[in-house]
Amino acid sequence: MSEETVYSANPGKKLIRTVDGVDYQRIPIKTHLITKTDKMEDVVCRYAKDQMQPGDILFISEKAVACTQSRAIPMEDIKPRKLAVTLSRYVTKTPAGIGLGIPETMEMALQECGTLRILFAAFCSVIGKLFHQRGWFYIVAGPKARGIDGPTEGTIPPYDHYVVLTPDDPMGTSKKLAAALGHPVAIVDINDLGANILGCSQKEPSMALLARILGDNPLGQSSECTPMGIIRKV
């Protein structure tokens, strides 16, 4: 790619974010609808390889990676138990997504994390609220629970009827993708509330710095069809 290439941000998003005095471009990359029939190594090479420059980092939505690992499950295939129905009623809903606020996503959290861990996380959440502290549930339940996505308004079909789990081995997967691409890769869980880095193929920059660079969700939250992007120092 020529250095004169003009990039644009997704609607309502900013192309450049300044962190600690350094400007970073977050260049969204449009792809086809990624499904379990795709191989993620082929996808990143097809859409990103020719756009990458030395020093760039490719960041990929964990949802896209999970879909290629058959970790997107149709809602009708999930049979929530009574406990899932009960617990889901007490989940705080946010504009960024429903999280575990429906029986189907809560059921998958119970399966992914274990019933005892989810019950203990729910207990800790109650204690946290007594001290006016939020977020204790997901701290205790862990990233597998935090990363579960349910269908939201604007989700691209057919995933508007799916529950998507966190990808398997995000750290190892990021390293495999980096080997195929020839550039560093990070697998990220980002929404309009912030960013969580699930895996990265290298230690620098730190996951904390990457989360700050991507904290405003430059990929968007609905129908942008940009499940990956490039981080580039300006």
Side-chain angles (χ1 to χ4, degrees):
M1 277 287 181
S2 166
E3 291 185 1
E4 288 78 23
T5 300
V6 177
Y7 296 102
S8 59
N10 278 330
K13 302 296 180 179
K14 294 181 179 179
L15 184 65
I16 296 176
R17 184 175 174 91
T18 303
V19 178
D20 295 335
V22 179
D23 291 339
Y24 297 90
Q25 285 185 326
R26 294 85 44 80
I27 304 165
I29 298 176
K30 190 177 289 289
T31 71
H32 68 282
L33 180 65
I34 296 172
T35 70
K36 64 181 180 181
T37 64
D38 289 299
K39 188 177 180 182
M40 204 67 214
E41 290 92 330
D42 295 338
V43 174
V44 299
C45 289
R46 174 182 174 185
Y47 290 102
K49 196 175 186 70
D50 290 343
Q51 300 192 53
M52 302 293 290
Q53 298 179 5
D56 287 353
I57 300 171
L58 183 72
F59 64 102
I60 310 171
S61 161
E62 45 90 27
K63 196 169 187 176
V65 176
C67 288
T68 65
Q69 298 175 338
S70 297
R71 290 185 50 84
I73 305 167
M75 292 274 283
E76 56 269 22
D77 290 350
I78 303 171
K79 310 301 180 186
R81 69 195 83 172
K82 289 183 179 180
L83 178 61
V85 174
T86 301
L87 290 175
S88 67
R89 293 173 182 159
Y90 297 96
V91 175
T92 301
K93 312 297 191 298
T94 73
I98 56 177
L100 304 184
I102 59 174
E104 288 83 0
T105 52
M106 183 61 75
E107 174 61 31
M108 295 316 301
L110 289 165
Q111 293 185 28
E112 287 283 289
C113 306
T115 300
L116 289 179
R117 183 166 186 170
I118 293 298
L119 286 173
F120 183 58
F123 170 77
C124 291
S125 176
V126 172
I127 299 301
K129 287 176 181 177
L130 293 177
F131 292 94
H132 306 289
Q133 298 289 323
R134 295 191 177 276
W136 286 18
F137 177 91
Y138 288 108
I139 292 173
V140 176
K144 280 190 174 183
R146 184 170 56 242
I148 293 175
D149 289 325
T152 56
E153 184 179 354
T155 300
I156 301 172
Y159 297 117
D160 54 346
H161 293 288
Y162 277 65
V163 172
V164 183
L165 308 178
T166 55
D168 278 329
D169 187 19
M171 193 66 75
T173 301
S174 66
K175 292 178 180 179
K176 290 179 183 178
L177 295 176
L181 183 65
H183 294 271
V185 171
I187 297 173
V188 304
D189 178 11
I190 51 180
N191 56 43
D192 290 336
L193 297 180
N196 182 40
I197 312 303
L198 302 184
C200 190
S201 61
Q202 61 182 30
K203 294 182 179 180
E204 295 295 335
S206 68
M207 290 188 177
L209 177 56
L210 289 174
R212 293 173 65 196
I213 294 171
L214 302 173
D216 59 340
N217 191 13
L219 295 182
Q221 197 68 9
S222 55
S223 59
E224 291 84 356
C225 285
T226 53
M228 62 182 70
I230 297 170
I231 296 173
R232 178 177 298 160
K233 284 186 180 181
V234 177

